[in-house]
Each structure stands twice: as structure tokens, then as C-alpha cells.
Amino acid sequence: MRIGVYICRVGVETGDGANLEAVGHYMANLPLVESVRSLGLLPRIDPEAMADEIAADELDRIVIAGDSPGFFKPAFTRAMSLAGREPDEVRLASFREHGVSGDGATERAKAIAACAVYGVPFTLAARPMDTKWNPATLVIGGGIAGIQAALEIADGGKRVYLVERTGTIGGHMAMFDKTFPTLDCAACILTPKMVAVGQHPMIELLSYSEVESISGVAGAYRATVLRHARRVKEDACVACGICSDVCPVKVPSEFDAGIADRKAIYIPFPQAVPNAYIVDEASCTFVQTNGQKCGACAKKCPKECIDLDARGEVLQLEVGSVIVATGYEVLDASRLERYGYGVQPNVLTALEFERLTNASGPTGGRIVTKSLRHNKRKKVDEWVLDPEGESPKSVAIIHCVGSRDANYNAYCSRVCCMYSLKFAHLVKEKLPDAACYEFYIDMRAFGKGYEAFFERIQDEGTFIVRGRSATVTDHAGQMVIKGEDILSDSVVEFPVDMVLLAVGLVPAERSDELARMLGVPRDEYGWFTEADYNGDPTGTERGGVYVAGVCQGPKDIPDTVAQASAVAARALEGAMTGRGLQSLASLSLSDIEARAKNLVPAS
Amino acid sequence: MTFEPKIVGFLCNWCSYSGADLAGTSRIHYAPNIRVIRVMCSARIDPTFVIKALADGADGVLVCGCHPGDCHYSEGNYKTMRRMPLLKRMLADFGIEEERVRLEWVSASEGKRFADIVDDMTERLRELGPSPVKMALAGDAGER
Amino acid sequence: MAEPRTGVFICNCGTNIAKMVDCDAVAEAASSMPGVAVSRSYKYMCSNPGQEMIAQDIADHGLERVVVAACSPRMHEPTFRRAAETAGLNPYLVEMANIREQCSWVHDDAVAATEKAEDLVRAAVLRVAHHEPLERLTVDMCPNTLVIGGGIAGTTAALELADAGELVYLVERQPGLGGNVGRVDLTAPYLDSARDMLTDRITRVVEHPDVDVMVNSELKRLDGFVGNFKATIAVHGPDGAEEERQVDVGSVIVCTGYREFDAARATHFGYGKLPNVVTSFEFERMLRAGRIETKEGGLPQYVAVVHCVGSRSEEFNGYCSRVCCMTALKYAHEVKSALPASYVSDVYVDMHAFGKGCEDFYRRSAEVKTLFLMYGKGEHPVVRRADPGDDCEMLITVDEQLSGETIELPADLIILMVGMEPREDAESVAHLVNISQDKDGWFIESHPKLDPVATTTDGVYIAGACQAPKDIPDSVAQARAAAGRILGKISKGKLEIDAMFAEVDEDRCSGCRVCNEICPYSAIEFDAAERRSHVISALCKACGACVATCPSAAIKARHFTDAQIFAEIAGVLG
Amino acid sequence: MAIRANPKLIEELEPYGAEDVMKCYHCGNCSAVCPFSQDPYVFPRKPMRNLQLGLEEKLEGDLDPWLCYYCGECSDQCPRDAEPGETMMSLRRWLTSRYDWTGISRLFYRSWRWELGAIILVAVITAIAFSLFGLSQGSLADYDGPNAFLPSSAIHIFDWALAVVLLVLLLSNATRMWWFTMGRDKTLRTSLGGYVRSLWMLPAHFLTQIRYSQCDRKAPWVTHLALMLSYVVMLVLIMFFLAEMASGPSIDWRVHVLGYLATAGLVVSTILFLRNRTKKSAPQYQHSHESDWIFLVLILVVALTGILQHILHRSGLDVAANVTYIVHLSLVVPMLALEVPFSKWSHLAYRPLAIYLAHVRAIALARSRQGDEAARRGAEPATPLRAA
């Protein structure tokens, strides 16, 4: 058999680092390789000419090597058939797709290339050896993904350490009111799981903690976890709330997305798990003044479980598997000045609206516009949410805020279309007379039951405007939203009382650090890179390190939960058998080469 | 002094009972006239429970379950939804005003809603006065 | 009968309860309630001293029942049950009265609140008298798993379980593994080789000692329940001979996938009439053969890809098939690669480029000058032969939304993106494994958000496109998820069943079978011989729907018996 | 009535600069941010769409590109980097070549070699022609007086001759423009009255370019206006006061002060534009077509040679002055003869004309719409709330 190698590159999202020249030389010396040609960046291949070349070289197999070489495969396949050769004999050495990046990129590229030359799938030849496995699992992130994964593993009778950065588990889902498309209430389906985590004998819940460092190898990782000082004894606190009644400090509540205040000693939300109060050292007078001032809460606590001088502690954990479920944050809407967020009082982000419309939110679920109030203490007029305030007569929802946009996030955030439709429903349900507009580009209702949901929203009388709106401006106290209504081919301006921004998702803060600690690459947008886009969407470069949920890329709750259970499967495998696969990097080029040789199908 | 009705509430464990708890954790005050009995699912609520409650002197019975579509057991609340109207019609034949038996959907995040329902029902029952069953029983007791 | 010796413990919860409820008064009142041997009020019952006090009293006073009036049982019931257990009392003999969340915290009239607290405590005392000691049952969990369908989802699930050392029976109808993915050359959005991915999986499945692959086979019967299924599989030999195999499995994963929409049904596209209108799968074959040609053997100058064929339409399937958009963009790239001189148009409704890397893929297809035309949902493009003199073979008439014009689009080759449909045998499979289908025929998951791979039948899971259209990564994730759920159960060895489940009193049962229908988990079996129904406790989720329904009051909900609840009613009403 | 799409048209447009238009996914952001984009002229998205689909006739009949002043806001905010502003610019170039019946314009825009070649050719011919003429009837040593090398009277006649030719070319092209955009649209119910009543807009917009000032970015308008006014002033001076301009050595303040101002205006504005384009300081300067460079450089050198010639003459160096004069003329002639009818300068005429026609068209449309107003409203997804 005579093999011809063609090295070409797609200019986009290239895995950095591989020395293609070296790879070329290496391939030239592989058995049966007749020719190695480099076609450079984004070559325009003429199949006819290529066919002549192939015929002249009498090639029986073509190997296209590079980042996403598949983009050129059809040209070569056609060339092969034009040359009267076996068109199926075009093999891909997909560098980027199999993790060619960073140091060791060239070696990895060579290995991938070798497999392609031998006609053996890389994933088959490059299957790492297995190794001893510590049955315990570390789950990083206490959102729905982390909760689900932790419960799956713990229900399997295996030890789980669940590390959560904030004072409670629950993540973003706990903030939501309803969940699309079934509109069941997030609390009803989430809180039982949270309670289960809190009471599970096999789960050690480390809330208000962060992973400081991770060392070791697949099956035997050692994690250093910093437990921040909660300053309230977790198991002793009965969440009576006397402490926060006496606390004089008010700061915006994270859980209420800033549309309501909390005290410096607070419980994120009533059903928080662990169900204990927490001192926010950043705003606590006592902490800030090194005990000079205040300390009222500690004096008032009937159970004397507040220790304002408590210090954080450092824990060492030994685990076999690490599950990353750090989720996301939402894009800072003030970056898009044209939508007036932060300037117009009644321009809200999606999360703010979730809290506003939530029965347990600051207005008890009443959708109201902010009203101007005079703050006597500060002596300033400020916009406040008054539960008795006026409800908006018209609401506009803008899709793709910062998503699908070269100037912000080029990617689609996957959930915005549906939650925007959900918002439209909530508005129509609570304010039947209010006009509601959706400004969208493509309505991405792809999931099970989503299309039907979209139709339902249309039937409810929401105006669906095809066209991403451009500006939100103030015309003499009246907000006006302007955009092109493409389907009616005209520029429209609507007076609106409230604008909801469907802000896109961005990776959680500190995920870059975490990626470095774990040695797991991230894509150009900061999402964790999976081991294999199709074949292994929840695995990573590192053996025993798995990713679940949005931290791997935007996705909705069902897909997140599925991924969470999927990573649990991997962790359980290790825990049950006491063995698991090492990192891909543990295999040397020669190992892979040798394996590939043996795997060559006899023909 | 005004008549203070006694209300027996049957709440499903997953949505409504959590909702009632949330009213507590959020310190939302409501009338002390209700006595809550927890069941796993509103579908467990046998019509005889309601009758028994009325017979034992309750002035009203409140039945709460998950919102349609939210049932922890996927469709239990639909059974309740069908069952209650029948029961009410039967009770009506016995001269029991239909306001005395009330079916409501309360989710785990609707603490406020639960409180409002209890207040509202208490108010209505105050206006309605003691349950005829109670009166009848009292009457019997008197004759003996 | 003599009431059992009961201890009542009133928690003050600091002042949380005490400031609105006169705890000592309640304790005092409780002491005179039936059977109460000891009644105390204490600052914090949940604290260690509090728990020790309970344990101590159980020992000292030989308590047979315990009532704790404190916070919500959802918060501390496990705590007090454990406390009782340490003192040797069956945890189910403990009852809580919620006098915090549902009393002291929600009332502002101390007298009324105290009165209410007394009622609640009385209810608990009367109720607990009827409690029975309950044991959590366990049933054996057979570690073997039956996977139905050998596509990408099936093979993935099988490998996941087998790699954990568990035995898997993989049943595939077709002669070979691979399913629909086997018909695809490259995968969107990175145009990686689908064949390599499949070869990898299939090789490993076939060579795996713990996977028993049965091709040309199908499930005939499934008996039993979670952890203890008996599956009957018909294996068709090459010579047409059919042999039956009986296997014991603890769990079943259904990965039967989908079939493509029959393009001929959407007549306006001219499929079957016009020679150069092909389906996506037919086009995949052209790609593989390296012969992207018209039937006449010429090279198409204009190639058009049409989205949503049979999807998102009133007349055919209302739902979105989820993968077609990206596959269509893939074709745009592939045509440009094979035929650089050609012009590619893409006729779509909404571009569903939602997956990771997909929006970039969409952008890139625009950069290689694909012409996108948007038609309205509910409308459809019409294909006709071009007129002589046109430089193309066919014309597609589209009410183009973005221009507001009716556009005639030239085309020599038209690729129809046919949507996904449940397989023709989906209904029979659903019937065999006792799961249900939605209105479109897809299998229904037990909860769309919190349990997307489980079904209402314990031990039976669904993964991949048989649950709803899905791309490869999402199918793989689901397949693993299903494996994960099963591994969790296997790893425990035995299935733990909560002590609260329903029981049928066989003597009272009239065999009317009303309960059989009412149970959402089909946990109630009918014994035809005995003409009695009985509950498979392993499947019962203790909702009690059957109990309330049974006309002959023959069903008992453990821990929520009629007697207990009647007692509670009597209690709250004083 | 179905329109045939032409996927090939985009290839025709690329040489004019429309390289990114296919990237557009129609979010409509550009049309919404543009201050000029209003019913019935919604752009840039709409023309971009017509271009993507290759709806040639629609594009030809489109006035929208001329209503855009390329402030660059749309390109700035475009989520797909589809360069709406540049696309409109390219369309203006393409339209110019479409209006031009000679086909020369198309040649120039598609290949700068042709444009530059033509300029050089015309320049050389002019130089030779005027040299021979000068030598034949005067002396190189004399700038003016009876023996003048290039007597202003003669030049004056030549100027007028050239002017007439240009006018004919421009008018014929303008007529084609009218035909494409108004004339051949049978559905349009225009009235002569409409044309007449709006006639004032032509000079008004020509001289003030007031619309330009409505863009968010004001600076370009000022420079643009300066360049245009200087040019017009210079044109008037030359066409009507050439004698006074050429007279000397004493300075005739009645005309020269204007001359100086105009020259200064030309030099400064062209230099500013050149600087912006080299620095790519704003979106509208990101993509410079060869024709843009040629145009600016040409004007600059014309102005400079003009100044030089003026100074030399005033300093009594008549020979040098005459030689410079030749050079000056050999640049002026191609600038007028080629740039005005066939290249960038033509927008001087097309833009005001387009604004005028657009106005007339809008009136006509409004009238024909009144009839089926109700029906149209019903068809729209939007509501009575829609602000007028």
C-alpha cells in the first residue's frame, strides 16, 4: 500500500503549538508513506488536479493531517474516486480534535498522525493504561450539576466531598422561579435534592470553601481546600435569624441578584443548605474594624454559635476522581451601553427578573417597575422596588445580549431563547393586559417540548419581532426600544416600561485558575475542553478529571443533569473497581505507535 | 367575641408543606386557625379524611397539592383535582356549604400564597359561622 | 388497649418557639394526654444535650413512643430518629409536631399559638400511638444489564457498564452495530471522522469480555421488576433459525434511536419525482463515494440544502429534530470542498446553532459564501423543474423572509434535511418494557429536568434519540448517565426500599384492579389465579394514591395509615 | 411575482469592495442604529440582503446607498463583522459604474491599473497637446501678455468645452440613474408636481450636505463639506474669473483671496482624509479602495501644482510657471475628465440627486400606500403601539 500525506490547516480555533514541520518529517519516515506535502493554511484544493497527482503517485491511501482536516476530506475523497482509487481510503489525523495543544503538542500530533497512517482510530490506540483508584470523589461546584453528581455517587455508597464557593448549595437554579418548558417551580424540584445532599451520610458538604491546589495523578489526587470562616457554627445554628435582625449593615443580596438587600450576617435564602447563617467579612463592621466596633449579632445569638473571630481552615483531601461543575456567570450587561443597563432603572437582566417574578423574591412575585424614593439617611433619591409599585404596561425582552456577537461572546448561550419565552409567559400570566415583545434573531427552541412551548407563547399574544433590537433610550421619561422588524421590513420603536436583557453565559470566575491547577485546557471562550467532542463530552485530558454542566459549555438543566449523571458513572467505575484510566499524556509516542501497529486490521 | 373557626389542612409533603414551611422561614404571619396534617401526596387524601375532620368538629378543610404538572408523583394531584369536586357535591347534599372544603395548589416557593389562602379562608368561615355538622352533633349531645 | 408509653419533648428553639408559644404550658398539657409518661420542655432539643435527654428518657421511662415538638420534620426528623435509634427505639416510632415554621413563626397571638401548639402535640401523641416499628427492606440487585439497541448510545452505555466490570447483554436488531451514526461520514461542527469514533467503540464492545453482543436479535418479553428482571431475547441465526435466550438482568437501558422522516411524504419537494432531489442520508453516501453528481452524471453548479423537512411543521412533525441544522451546514462545507466552483444555498427557518462550537461553525459557513434563505415556519419551499434556457436544472420557490420577496432559487442538486421520527417499533418496545410515549411517540422520561434518563418504571432507563432527537454528544452523555444510575444501584449490592410503602390486605382485596390502573409506577401486580392485587414494594414510591382509591379499603400505606391519620385529625380538633 | 436569485452576483461586486457582506445573518442591528434608515428606506440590511441574493434589478433601482454617509456606526456594532458601511460604499461604486453607459467606470473600479493608466494617458496627451499649442502661438518665456504661452482666453474656451462634455456625460448618467430608480418602476405614481416642488433640495443638499451632519460622528461632515465647497469655489473661479485668476504679478484680492481659501481647503481636507485612511482611524477609513487613494492624491497634487504655478508666476519665473502650468493642466484634465463622470467625484452629483429623487419617491409611495394602509397594518406583527 502507498500512502500520501497532506498537511493542511484551518485557520480558526487552532490548537496552538504543534511543530508541523517536525510532524511532517516524522510522517515521512513512517512505513508505506510515499509522500508528505504541506498545503499550508486554508488551501483551496482543486480535486481534479489532486486526482492527477494521486494517480501519478499511485496512492492507495491519503492521510490529511492538521487541525480539523475534515474540512478538506470531501475534496480528497472526490480526488480519490476521480483517480480511480478507493475513496474510502482517506484518513484524518485531526490534531485539534484530539487535544494537540500546549507542551507535548508535537508529540501528540505525531501519535495522531501515526494512527491515521495505520488506519486505526486514535482513541482506540491511545487508550491509557489503568491504575489504582481512590474510591473518594471531589466535586467542585454545588449547583444542580454538582448536586446531581454528588447524589448519584453517594447513593452508590461512595464517599463524596462537595466543595461549594458560596454559603449554600443550589447554584443559579435555586434563584429561578419556573423552569422551561414545563414551567414547574425550580424550588419544588431542587430543594428536596439540596436537603438530600445536606443529610447524606456519604456526602461531606464543604460550603463557603474553595479548592486551593490539586496535585497528584489520576486515581490519587490530593486537593487542598480552604474553608473560609463562616463565623457561625454550621451545625449549631438553628437559622432563627435574630442575628441578622440586629445586624446594622445592609448590602445587595447576591441571591436576589442585587434587587434586594441582605445583612452582613445573613442566610442566602430560607431553604439554604447548610441551613445556617453566614458572616460576610467584606461588609461586617466587626471584621472590618478588627473587633473595634459592633459585634451585636454575637451578643444576641441565643445559641451563642456566632464566633466573629473564627479563622478559615485548610483541609487536605485524598480522592481518585475530580468532577468539575463550576457552572457560569452572566455577562455584565452594562458593557452593552446601547441597552441602557445601569442607566435606565427598569432595564433588568435575566437573573434580576427571575428574582423579581419569584414568589419568594423581594416583591413576592409581583412584576413591578422601580419607583423613585427619597432616601433620608443618604439624602438622595434612589430607584427602589416597591412590592406595591406600579406594574409595567409593556415589557420588551431582548435576546442574544452579548451572545452570537463578535464584539462580545461569539457563541450562542443556548438557554436564552427558551428562558426569554418563559419570561414572556410569566409576564402574560401575571399581567394579562401588558404588551410583551420578544426581539430575537433565531428562535432556538430545539429541545423536547420546546417548539410546542414557543407556539404556546405566540398564542398567548406576545409580539415576536424578528430582529435584534438596537437601542433602549429615554424619551422624556418614557423608555423607547428601537429595532428592525425584519419580517415587516421596517424600523420599529415601541414605548416600554420594562426591558429584560437575555444576557449570555460566561465561564465562572476563577475557572482559569482551576483549569491551570487541573491541567485541563479551556477553549478560546474559557469553557473547559472535553476529551473528545463527540466520543467523550464529559472526560478531559486528565485521567479521573471530568466536567459536567455549563462549565463545559452553555446548556440547559436537562442536558446538565444528564452530564452530571454521566460523570458520576465514571467516578463510580473507579470507586467500584478500584481501578481507572490514567491521563492520555501518560502514553508515550512509541506506546501508541506500537499499539496502532498491532491494531491494523488484517486485509 | 367573634367566632374563631377551626380549619384542618391536608398538605402534600413535596410542594405545599414546603410552601407552608417557607411562610414560616420568611416570617409571613397568618391566622392561627389552621392545623396542618402532612400527607405524602394530595392523592393520598381519602374523602373520608375530610368527612372525619368535619365530623370531629372542623369548620373547614383545606386541601393543598402541587400545581398541576408539578406533582412529585407525576400525576397524583390530577386525581385529587377530579376527586374533590365530587366530594363537595356530595357534602352539599348534606347541607355543608361548599366554601368549607377548599382545594388549592401551593408550590414550595409560595409561602406568601399559602398564608393568604389561610387568612382568606379563615375570614370566609368566620362569616359563615360554625359548621352545621358541629351544631348537629352539639344538638344531639344536648338532647341526651 | 392501653396506650403505649409516650415521651413528649417540646423544643423552645431558644426563643424562636418560646417567645410565641408557652412551651412549659404545652408540656404541662401534654403530660395529661393519653399514654404520656414523660413530658419536657427544653431550650434546644436538636442540641447534643437535647438528644441525650431523649435517649436517657427512653431508657429511664421505658418509652415506646417519642413525640418531638420543634421545627419542621423536613429539617430535623432524621436527627431525632437517629437519637431514638441510639436508645434502641425503632426510628419510625418517633413523630414530630411542627410548632416553629408552622406555628410560632407565623402567628402573632401567643394564646392562640400556644393553643395551636397543644393541638399539634396532641395530634402527634394520638398518631404516634398507632405507629408500628418499620424496617427498611432490601431486595437483591442483579448486577447484569440489558441494553436494547447497538447504536452510539447503546454501545456507549454498554462499554460504560462493562468497564466497571459488570455484565451487559447488548441486543441489536440489525446484523451489525453502529446504528444511524454508521451512515454518517463526518460529524459537525469540527468535521471529525464519525467512522473512527464508531470503529473505536464497536471494536471495544465486541472484544470486551463483559459484553454479550447479540445481533439480529430482539427483546421478546420482560418480566419482573427492578433488580430482578427476566428478559427473553429472540436471536435470529444466519440461516433464519430463531433461538430464544433467557437472561437475568437488574436493569434495562433502551437506546433504540430513531428513523428518518420519509421525504416522499412532503410532496412539494418533489422527492421521488425529480431525480436530483436527495435526502441527507443519500447525500452522505455520495460524499463517501466521492461522487457528488447529478443522476445524469454531471457536476451540479448550484447545490441547495433545505432544512426542516418533516420537522417543525403542522402537517408532519411539530418538533425540531435538533441535529439537521448543523448537518446542513456541514454539507455546505463539504460541497464547497468537493466542488470548489459550485454555489451552495441553505434554505432554513431558524438556524439552530446552539451547541458548543456551532455558532462559529455557522459563521464559517457564511464566510465560505453559503447563501442563506429563510422561509417562514408553517410555509414550505416548492421545487419545480427549471425552464429550458435556465442555467440550472430546478428552481426552488421560497417566500424569503429576510428580503420579503418571493425568490426563485436555482438548483441542480437539492439535499433534503429529513427530520427524526420514533422508530416504527417504538410502540412495541414501550409496551415490552412498560414505559410510555409522548404524543410524538418519543419515550417519556421520569422527570424532564431532574431525571432525564430514568422512566416511571424503576430499573428501566432511556438514552439517546429514542427519548427525543439528539446529537451525538448529548446521546453519549445520556447513555453514560443511564449507566451511572445503574452503577449506583449495583455498587450498593442491594436495593434499599424505604419502609414507607403500600401493602394490600389480601383478604380484603376484591380484585377489582382499580389500583392497578391508578399506580403511576405500575407497582401493583394482579395475581390472576388468586384474583388479588399485590404491591411490589420495590417499585412503590409511597404516594398513597391507591390507598385512597381502593373501594374496599384493602390497601394500607405504611406510616400513613388511615388509623394514624384519623388519630391525627381527632388530635388537632382536640 | 417571483424574482430569480443570482448567487453569482456577489462575485461581480467583490472587486468593488463588498467582501464581507455574505457574513451578515440579519439581526437588523445596522438598520436600527442608522439615523437615516427610516421607512420607506430601510438600510443597510435590506440592500445587503438584495446583494446576497443577487437581486440585480432591485440593487440598480436602490437609492439607499446614496442616503448613507458612512459614519461607520453600523460596522462598529455589527455582530458578524459583515461591514454594512463598507458594503454600502461598494454599492455606491457599483451603482456609479451601472449609471455610466460608457462602461469606463466599471473598468476603473474593477482594476486600479486601468484607472491609473487612463489618468496617465490623458495627462500625457494633455501635456503634449498644450505644449504644442503653446509653442505654436506663444513663447515659453511669457506667462501672460500678448505673447503668452498659454493665454487664459484660450484656456477659458477649453475649460468651457470640457465643461460641456462633462455635463453631457453626467446628465446622461443621471438620466440612467433616474430611469433605474424611478422611471422603470411602473407601480410608482409620481407626479410632475412632486418633482418640481422638491427641486429646491438639489442645490440645498449639494451645497450644505446637511444630512451628513445628522450622523453621530460630526467631524467627517466638516472635512467633507470643506473639500466639496473649496472645490466648487475653485470651479466657479476658473469657469468665470480665469482671466483675473491668471492675471499678475500683482495679486487681485477680489478673486485671489477666495482662491487661497479654496486651495487651502482642498489641501488641508485631502491631507486629513489621506491621514485618516492611512491610520484607519475610524470604521469608514478601515477599507480604502484604490479609487479612494487615486482620487485624493490627484486632488492634492492638482492643488499643489496650482499653488506652485501661482507662486512661480508671482515671483516672475515665467518659464518655470509655464512648465508647472502644463503639469497642472495635465493633472486637472484627467481629474475632471475621468474622476467626475467615471469615478469617485461623480457622487458629487449622484448623492444630492438621490436625496432629491428619494424624497419624490417617498411622497409617491405615501400616496399609493394610503389606499391599502389598513390591510398593510394587519399584516404586521407589530401593534398600534408602534411609534410613528
Side-chain angles (χ1 to χ4, degrees), chain A residues 404 406 437 463 466 468 492, chain D residues 25-27 79 383 385-386:
Chain A
R404 303 184 65 189
Y437 309 92
F463 301 110
R466 207 255 176 218
R468 189 180 73 164
V492 294
Chain D
Y25 67 7
H26 302 274
C27 65
T383 59
L385 264 168
R386 172 197 296 271

Side-chain angles (χ1 to χ4, degrees), chain C residues 384-400:
Chain C
R384 66 174 173 94
R385 256 200 192 77
D387 316 313
D390 286 331
D391 71 332
C392 58
E393 199 194 314
M394 295 169 285
L395 288 169
I396 311 178
T397 314
V398 189
D399 282 331
E400 211 284 320

Side-chain angles (χ1 to χ4, degrees), chain A residues 186-262:
Chain A
C188 304
I189 52 187
L190 182 63
T191 42
K193 279 186 185 277
M194 290 167 61
V195 173
V197 168
Q199 296 175 346
H200 206 296
M202 293 310 286
I203 299 179
E204 184 163 334
L205 173 54
L206 304 170
S207 65
Y208 204 39
S209 309
E210 286 179 274
V211 174
E212 283 293 293
S213 72
I214 292 186
S215 59
V217 296
Y221 288 107
R222 167 187 253 101
T224 312
V225 176
L226 170 60
R227 292 209 78 173
H228 298 293
R230 190 182 194 103
R231 292 183 162 82
V232 176
K233 296 198 191 67
E234 209 172 286
D235 38 12
C237 176
V238 291
C240 63
I242 293 172
C243 51
S244 76
D245 292 346
V246 300
C247 177
V249 186
K250 265 193 183 172
V251 289
S253 149
E254 295 82 1
F255 181 76
D256 280 321
I259 63 170
D261 287 345
R262 60 156 171 86

